[in-house]
Amino acid sequence: MTAHTGTPRQAGLTALYLGVFAALWFSVPKAEPPLSVLLVVLSVAALLTAVVGAVVAGRRGGHTADATPRDRAADRRYLLIVLVEFALAGLGAWLFTLVGWSAFVPVLVSAVVGLHFLPLVPVLRDPLLRPLGFAVCLVALVGLLVGLASTVLVGQVVGTGVGLLLLGYAVMALLRTRVSRH
């Protein structure tokens, strides 16, 4: 994921990655209509945002300002952060399932996802990832509390909440670049 949305390419990549992940989060909840219908609509919106992001990222003609050299050290830091994120989420999910807490896997994964945005702030030079990370962690906390105190499915709270946050950020990345260019 590239986030410093100062260039159309970077904004497009952000929208692409977060749009795809938003669609994945919208597929987490088990829901009946009308929520299930809303989740399908949101998934389609997220995938369309990802497609727009891919188109924006793929446009190279006339955007010589986008031709910045790659920062190999930042790429390595990014890859390390994402690998640690996936390892922690995967291992945690396996352990939660092993001890019979599989209903709370979305809480764990969303907390890990939220936390992974924090070390990405300096790597991607996007300070708005910090509030996104905190908001995703807050959704994890709300999902945990709802799961412990009610019969509402944790996946509905967490999947919908995280999906909305990622979709919103993806759209915002595209809009920020558009606004900054005018």
Side-chain angles (χ1 to χ4, degrees):
M1 175 184 67
T2 300
H4 176 57
T5 57
T7 67
R9 180 177 182 280
Q10 291 168 322
L13 289 173
T14 296
L16 170 62
Y17 297 144
L18 294 186
V20 168
F21 282 110
L24 290 172
W25 276 102
F26 289 136
S27 71
V28 167
K30 294 177 186 170
E32 299 294 323
L35 180 58
S36 63
V37 174
L38 177 62
L39 292 171
V40 169
V41 169
L42 289 169
S43 291
V44 170
L47 291 174
L48 289 174
T49 301
V51 168
V52 170
V55 169
V56 169
R59 282 192 198 154
R60 306 236 16 151
H63 295 301
T64 55
D66 275 4
T68 56
R70 293 195 55 124
D71 181 348
R72 300 286 182 204
D75 288 348
R76 284 190 298 276
R77 285 191 305 270
Y78 172 80
L79 182 60
L80 179 62
I81 291 166
V82 171
L83 287 174
V84 168
E85 172 200 15
F86 275 93
L88 289 174
L91 179 62
W94 177 74
L95 289 172
F96 271 36
T97 302
L98 194 65
V99 298
W101 296 345
S102 59
F104 292 96
V105 167
V107 169
L108 170 76
V109 173
S110 63
V112 171
V113 168
L115 291 173
H116 109 283
F117 286 118
L118 302 179
L120 286 177
V121 169
V123 173
L124 299 176
R125 297 179 314 265
D126 187 354
L128 290 179
L129 288 174
R130 191 172 291 112
L132 175 63
F134 288 131
V136 171
C137 287
L138 182 61
V139 168
L141 178 60
V142 169
L144 175 64
L145 296 175
V146 166
L148 293 173
S150 75
T151 59
V152 175
L153 296 175
V154 171
Q156 288 180 348
V157 174
V158 175
T160 305
V162 174
L164 285 170
L165 288 170
L166 297 181
L167 175 57
Y169 195 90
V171 169
M172 184 183 69
L174 293 172
L175 293 176
R176 281 194 319 182
T177 297
R178 180 98 177 132
V179 168
S180 70
R181 294 181 70 211
H182 292 291

